[in-house]
Amino acid sequence: MASLDIFTPLIFKINSSAKLRKLFSLKCPYRHKHRPSLFLTNAVHTQPALSFSGRPTTPKYKIESEQDPISILNERIRCQHHGKREGSNSKPIMDSEEADQYIQMVKEQQQRGLLKLKGDRVAKEGDVFSYKVDPYTLSSGDYVVHKKVGIGRFVGIKFDVPKGSSEAIEYVFIEYADGMAKLPVKQASRMLYRYNLPNDTKKPRTLSKLSDNGAWERRKTKGKVAIQKMVVDLMELYLHRLKQRRPPYPKTPAMAEFTSQFPYEPTPDQKQAFIDVERDLTERETPMDRLICGDVGFGKTEVALRAIFCVVSAGKQTMVLAPTIVLAKQHFEVISERFSKYPHIKVALLSRFQGKAEKETYLEMIKDGHLDIIVGTHTLLGSRVVYNNLGLLVVDEEQRFGVKQKEKIASFKTSVDVLTLTATPIPRTLYLALTGFRDASLISTPPPERVPIRTHLSAYSKERLISAIKYELDRGGQVFYVLPRIKGLEEVKDFLEQSFSNVEIAVAHGQQYSKQLEDTMEQFAQGEIKILICTNIVESGLDIQNANTIIIQDVQLFGLAQLYQLRGRVGRADKEAHAHLFYPDKSMLTDQALERLAALEECQELGRGFQLAERDMGIRGFGTIFGEQQTGDVGNVGIDFFFEMLFESLSKVDEHRVISVPYQSVQVDLNINPHLPSSYINSLENPLEIINEAEKAAETDIWSLMQFTENLRRQYGKEPSSMEILLKKLYIRRMAADIGVTRIYASGKMVGMETNMSKKVFKLMTDSMSSDIHRNSLFFDGNQIKAELLLELPRAQLLNWIFQCISELHSCLPALIKY
C-alpha cells in the first residue's frame, strides 16, 4: 500500500465513522484484488467514467464551468504530453554518469557538424562560431539586431568626432522607434546581426525603443526559452537513437568487388561520403541517420548503392523510398542493373499502378524475406507492407513527402539505418545538420565533365521562348517545358505545334494513366519526343543526357528548392545547358518571390544546392524541428541572432540539467489538513481505494496524477474545497520531485524550497515564468529557493500560492535536460 501520510486526517475520520463502516460493508463485495482499477495511470486517452462496479455513474457534485487552478495545470500537462514526438515516452533510462558521457558526445557531434558544414563562418572569430554581420556589407534601409538594444534600421556609416577628441572615427548610425543611435564600427561589428525574418515582408513588426530596453530583453528571453526547448527535444531524439543497438555490419571482400564496378573516378567529396557511410555501418553499433547533400548528378546514388550492398549482403532488407513513380522507376532500373551480377539478390518495384495480383505476390515476398531490395513511393510506408528483416531505409528527396509520410519515416529512424539523399535539403533537415544532431556528408565538387547551367531569368516573351527552343533543337537536343499546373499544358502544346510543326511534342503529368505516362517518358528518354510539356513531376530523377534546355513558366509559383531541382534536369552531359525562367510581370511578384529568383540567379555555380537551401531558410524560415509550422520565436529576434543563441545554448547544454528526486523523499511542511465533508465521502464508491489510487498516481508521474484527477471529476463532479486542497498537496509534491525540490516549508511571511538545482537552472525557470508576481518574489539562496511574501497568508491561500508558483517553475521542464 502506498504511503498515506497526507491523508491521515481523512483516514481517521473514515475509520471512526460507524456510518462509513456500514457503507464499506455494503460496498466491499465489489472490491477484488484482480478487478481492474478505474484510474489507469498509463492510458493516454481516458474513457467515460465508470463506477467501481463497472456501471456508469452520474456525478454527485456539479462540474463547475470556470477553470480552477488544477484544470489549468492539467490542460498544460496535456498540451505538453501531446506536443511530444511519437514514441518519445519510451525514453532511454540511464544513470547520471552515463548521461554525462552522452551529453559530451552530443556536444562533440554538434562541433563536428558545425565545423564541417559552416567552416567558412567559424574562421571569422578563430574557433568561435559567429553569425555577426560586417557593418560594411550592410545597405541603407537594412534591418539589423543589436544584441543589447534590439531591432533597428541601418542608416549608414560616416565619420564623426567623439567628445574629448580631435580625431574623427567611423560610426554606424541606426534608426530606432524613438531616435537615432550611433556606435563605433569596431563595437558594431561585435554587436550587430543582420535581421532576417521568415515571412513575406521580411520587415519587423516594430522597431525597438532606445528608452525601453525591457521590451527587447523580454523578446530575447522568450527566444532563449524556445531555443532551450528545441535543444532538449534534439537531445532526447539524439540520446534515444544512441541508446539503440545493432551489431556492426561486416566488412567483406565482396564490397571491394562491388565498388570496383563504379565506372567513374569518384570526386574527393564522394570519397569522403563513401568513408562516412561505411564507418556508420561497419564501425558503429547505433543506427545510421545520415544526410547526403549533393547536386543532381554529383553521385549521391552511388553512395546509396554501396550502403544497400553492405546491408543486403548481411541478409537484411532495404527499402528505397522515392517521392514520384517516375523517380522510383529510375531507381529500380539503376539498382537492377547494378545488382544484375548478383542473382541471389532480388529487387522489386512496388507502386499503386500495379495489378492487385502482382502487388499481393510482392507483399507476401516482402513478408517472407524473399525480396531483398524494395523500391517504391509512399506505398511502401503503408500498414500492409510488413518487412521480414528491414535493415536500411534510403529516402530520396524527403522534402517531397507529406507530413504523415515524414512522421512514418521518422519512426523508422529509431530501429533501422537511414540514409537521406537530397540536392536541396528542406530547411528543417538543414537545421538538424547544422546543429550536428544529424550526420551529414556534403558533396559539392562537380564531376569533371559537368558544365555549369546558364540561367536566364526574364519576363515571359513568345519571341524569347521560340528562340530558346529553336537553339536547342538546332543542336540536336531536347527540351523540358514545365508549368506549375496541369491546366494550361494542352494550350502550350497547341501553341508549340503551330511554331514547330515537324517536331514530336508530348504532354506528361501525374494524373495520366500509368501506362500512358510510362510510354511518354520512355519515348522522351529514347529521343523520339523532342519537347516534353509537363508539370513538376519531372522535378526529381529523370536523367536524359540529350535534354539540355528547360523552360519554366510562371516561376513565381514554384519554391526555391523546386526550381533548383528542375534546373538540375538539364546539364547532365558535357554540353552547356540552359534554364529559361519566365515570370509574367515583375510588378505582380511578391518581395519573397523576387528574392527567391535573385537567390537562384546567384547560385549558378555547380554544387550550390546546400547554400541555396540555407538561403531558402533565410527567406521563408525553417519551421520547428518536429512540426511543419513556422516558428514565431525566430521572427522575434531574427534568424541570425536566433542561431547565435542556439549555438550558445548547445555549447552550454550540460549547465541546464535538472535532476529529479524520488517522490517519497519530498516533504511538504505546511500544517494544513482539512476534513472532507461526509456528504462527499458518502458519494464515493470506495473512498479508501480512491485515496490509494491518488497517492499511487502522484508517485508514478504528473501525467498519471492529471488522469486520476480528470477521471475523479468525470465520475463524481468537481470536488469540494477540502478535497481540492488534498489534491493540490499531491500535485505540489509531484512537481517538486520533478524539479529537484526536496522540502517546502513556510515560516512567517517566508516560503522556502530546499533544492538540488543550480542557479543557472533557477534563472532559466524564472525567465520563462509568465507571472511577474511569482518571478519577482523568488530569489536563489545557497541550496534554497525563497520567497518573501508581503504578509502572512492564511494556510489555504498560502497553499494556493505555492501551487501556482511550483506550477510555473514546473512548466519550464521541457526546456531542461532531464538526465
Side-chain angles (χ1 to χ4, degrees), residues 50-61:
L50 299 174
S51 70
F52 277 86
S53 60
R55 296 187 298 272
T57 61
T58 305
K60 309 289 192 303
Y61 281 71

Side-chain angles (χ1 to χ4, degrees), residues 617-688:
M617 184 160 63
I619 294 170
R620 67 183 174 97
F622 48 81
T624 56
I625 303 298
F626 304 106
E628 295 301 307
Q629 71 274 23
Q630 297 299 309
T631 171
D633 301 304
V634 181
N636 275 329
V637 295
I639 286 174
D640 284 6
F641 189 44
F642 186 87
F643 262 88
E644 187 89 331
M645 290 196 295
L646 171 71
F647 287 117
E648 186 184 342
S649 182
L650 280 164
S651 66
K652 295 176 180 175
V653 72
D654 47 351
E655 294 176 7
H656 294 126
R657 286 180 67 187
V658 65
I659 300 165
S660 60
V661 296
Y663 172 81
Q664 295 293 357
S665 70
V666 180
Q667 292 176 277
V668 180
D669 301 333
L670 295 176
N671 192 26
I672 176 168
N673 297 302
H675 292 294
L676 298 186
S678 56
S679 57
Y680 185 68
I681 293 172
N682 288 340
S683 74
L684 301 177
E685 281 290 314
N686 214 326
L688 272 179

Side-chain angles (χ1 to χ4, degrees), residues 151-196:
I151 300 165
R153 189 185 290 110
F154 176 78
V155 176
I157 298 174
K158 61 180 181 179
F159 282 93
D160 199 4
V161 180
K163 284 181 181 177
S165 173
S166 57
E167 195 178 330
I169 62 168
E170 280 187 301
Y171 283 95
V172 172
F173 285 81
I174 302 168
E175 180 190 352
Y176 289 94
D178 58 348
M180 187 78 72
K182 69 173 186 178
L183 63 158
V185 169
K186 278 188 179 179
Q187 188 187 338
S189 62
R190 294 196 304 270
M191 288 290 183
L192 289 185
Y193 302 80
R194 193 182 294 277
Y195 182 84
N196 292 318

